[in-house]
Amino acid sequence: MHGWPSSVVEFLEMIGPLTNPRAYGGNPEDAFHVVIPSVPGFGFSGPEVEAGWTITRIARAWDELMRRLGYEQYGAHGSDCGALVARELGILKPEGLLGIHVLQLFSFPSGDPAEMAGLSEEDHKRLQFLGAFQERAGFNAIQQSRPLTLSYGLADSPAGQLAWIADLFNGFGDHVDFIGRDAFLTNVMLYWLTNTAESSSRLYYENARNPEAGQGPNTAPTGVAVFGHDFKTIRPFAERDNLNIVHWSEFERGTHFAAMDAPDLLAPDIRKFYRRFR
């Protein structure tokens, strides 16, 4: 499950390693069927999208999608907004959901001083990094509050659409070209040709007004893969909000879009997590 400003293109390099692991040095018994849905309002699933498509509604829709496709059991993987949808599935815990695997768990300090006192030095570094990320992520504030105003400019200018997407894809300038330009431009093209600047950015607006989001802890079996050039999940906070973390991996490389720039690390980690359910 992709997020913003990504698309189904994010997972093209993952299809082969997951569906045919033998060809990539893996065990053929770890093979998956792979379903990569386009989030409502994004690319081929837009731009005409009604109001109310929150991460909770998307989670319910994906469960219904898997049932209609004939799957009695399935797992969910996601990054960015896709990770939020995966966690919502973990909260809803529909019949047939085996577990979730994500690149981030968005858990933050509660304000309890005792909680902060228990953090390690590494946890404090991650907290500082997260604070710096939030300061730079202007897209989050404007898309939560004024997505339509922003989108008039993006829908009018391909250069504007490209620059708006490039900001996060390039880590605000910290890792330019970690993701190949062809893959990046293909992703931008899906937004531009389908005119989904507004309908995709509105997901942030809807989520900020979602009365159902995060109601209750995630109790589904959960795997986390933390990549070196992404903001790092802080484990004590994650374990407070997600009660069944059974798999935790950390890698020195890979960005917020690890499926694009580190599929050789991510695909084996997904296989390893879901092997317990075989």
Side-chain angles (χ1 to χ4, degrees), residues 108-163:
F108 306 105
S110 66
D112 182 357
E115 186 177 67
M116 299 298 292
L119 297 182
S120 68
E121 181 179 351
E122 175 61 24
D123 291 332
H124 279 286
K125 290 180 180 179
R126 294 184 177 198
L127 193 59
Q128 291 175 353
F129 187 94
L130 181 61
F133 177 88
Q134 290 178 313
E135 288 179 4
R136 301 166 83 183
F139 67 87
N140 190 55
I142 193 168
Q143 291 181 177
Q144 282 186 349
S145 57
R146 308 292 292 173
L148 182 58
T149 304
L150 164 72
S151 299
Y152 284 118
L154 299 185
D156 190 55
S157 168
Q161 178 72 89
L162 183 148

Side-chain angles (χ1 to χ4, degrees), residues 3-5 42 53 80-81 84 139-145 147 168 199-210 256:
W4 184 93
F42 288 70
W53 276 101
D80 193 76
C81 293
L84 292 174
F139 67 87
N140 190 55
I142 193 168
Q143 291 181 177
Q144 282 186 349
S145 57
L168 185 55
S199 56
S200 59
S201 62
R202 193 175 355 118
L203 177 61
Y204 283 73
Y205 182 89
E206 298 287 356
N207 286 339
R209 290 153 183 80
N210 179 10
H256 198 63

Side-chain angles (χ1 to χ4, degrees), residues 10-28:
E10 179 176 351
F11 298 108
L12 294 182
E13 296 300 318
M14 297 287 290
I15 297 172
L18 292 179
T19 60
N20 185 17
R22 184 200 297 272
Y24 296 83
N27 187 336

